Amino acid sequence: DDDDDDTAAAAKDVAAKKDADANDEAKTAEAAKQAGNACFKAGDLEGAVKKYGEGLEAAGAGAEDAVTTALLLNRAAALLKQQRWAAAVGDCDTVLALAPGTVKALFRRAQARLGLGNTAGALEDFDAVLLLEPANAQATAQRAAAVVAYAGQQRRVDAAGKAAKVALAEAEREAEAEAAGAAAKAAATFASPSKRIAIVESDDDEEVNTQKEPPPRSAAVPPAPPPAAKVTKKSKIGRASCREKV
């Protein structure tokens, strides 16, 4: 029994310590929020952002949603004043994840989206605010401004699309004209007598003999007979004397 009493007492001590730590964290977070509010009212926006961040760190992951959302919403307001649109959107997204339908988060995210040029997203958030609070005068007025901005964006998009089409058509015409000029120049080159190119076609199955054939040999001509010997008087006398001796 004594052991059970000791265990129960130790558990109570642990729980009490956790509660005390949680209270300390909540007090620290609340003090940081108040300090941030004072900075915001004084126009020290950077100081306000810093204090709200310290409060979020002090609150930790186990803090009540009410504490966390208050710090995030206040920091988003300071970020909007600094025109740090993307950071403000991030804080509002976190709030809406913790507490969907929070009007302040929707309204401030709409303002941040409008600052980013996301007019469609801004209109979506303003419509959500007016669905929850139809009499919200600020949301009504800023939604009207978002409608004007959205219409201007659409006109610029349409104009840019038309200009792109015109530029594309002009580029196509220039390309066609250039191609036609090149074709005409090529045709003129081949048609000119001084530019003609002789093309010799040969049969692939026969080899072209470029060497000159030797001239044909002429038929053999027999040699001419030697001329007949002339008969002189001496030769006649000699032949006669020869006959006499015989």
Side-chain angles (χ1 to χ4, degrees):
D1 293 336
D2 292 338
D3 292 339
D4 292 340
D5 292 339
D6 291 340
T7 302
K12 287 181 181 180
D13 290 341
V14 171
K17 188 176 183 306
K18 286 183 178 180
D19 290 340
D21 291 342
N23 288 332
D24 290 341
E25 290 174 353
K27 289 178 181 179
T28 302
E30 182 63 26
K33 186 183 79 170
Q34 295 301 328
N37 291 345
C39 290
F40 186 88
K41 290 177 181 179
D44 181 10
L45 299 176
E46 192 60 38
V49 170
K50 182 178 179 181
K51 289 299 181 181
Y52 294 140
E54 290 176 357
L56 289 167
E57 290 179 1
E64 294 182 5
D65 289 347
V67 176
T68 303
T69 55
L71 288 164
L72 287 167
L73 286 171
N74 289 357
R75 188 169 71 175
L79 291 169
L80 284 172
K81 290 282 186 179
Q82 293 180 309
Q83 297 186 358
R84 295 166 62 181
W85 314 120
V89 168
D91 280 354
C92 293
D93 285 343
T94 304
V95 172
L96 292 169
L98 294 171
T102 302
V103 173
K104 284 185 177 180
L106 289 168
F107 181 72
R108 290 175 186 173
R109 188 173 70 176
Q111 292 176 307
R113 283 178 166 179
L114 192 58
L116 288 170
N118 182 6
T119 54
L123 285 172
E124 181 182 342
D125 284 340
F126 283 133
D127 288 342
V129 170
L130 292 172
L131 185 64
L132 296 169
E133 295 183 0
N136 192 316
Q138 283 186 316
T140 301
Q142 294 193 27
R143 185 189 182 281
V147 169
V148 174
Y150 178 79
Q153 279 187 343
Q154 291 302 113
R155 285 195 297 272
R156 288 191 292 273
V157 169
D158 292 342
K162 290 178 181 178
K165 288 181 180 179
V166 170
L168 179 60
E170 183 64 24
E172 289 177 349
R173 283 195 295 270
E174 290 179 358
E176 289 175 358
E178 185 177 354
K185 185 177 179 181
T189 300
F190 280 103
S192 175
S194 60
K195 300 289 186 179
R196 288 177 182 170
I197 300 173
I199 300 175
V200 179
E201 295 183 355
S202 61
D203 191 351
D204 293 339
D205 297 333
E206 295 182 0
E207 295 183 357
V208 178
N209 187 3
T210 58
Q211 295 181 353
K212 294 182 179 180
E213 293 289 340
R217 292 182 179 181
S218 58
V221 179
K230 292 182 179 181
V231 180
T232 61
K233 290 181 177 182
K234 290 182 178 181
S235 61
K236 289 181 178 182
I237 296 171
R239 286 197 298 268
S241 62
C242 287
R243 285 194 298 264
E244 290 177 356
K245 288 180 178 181
V246 174

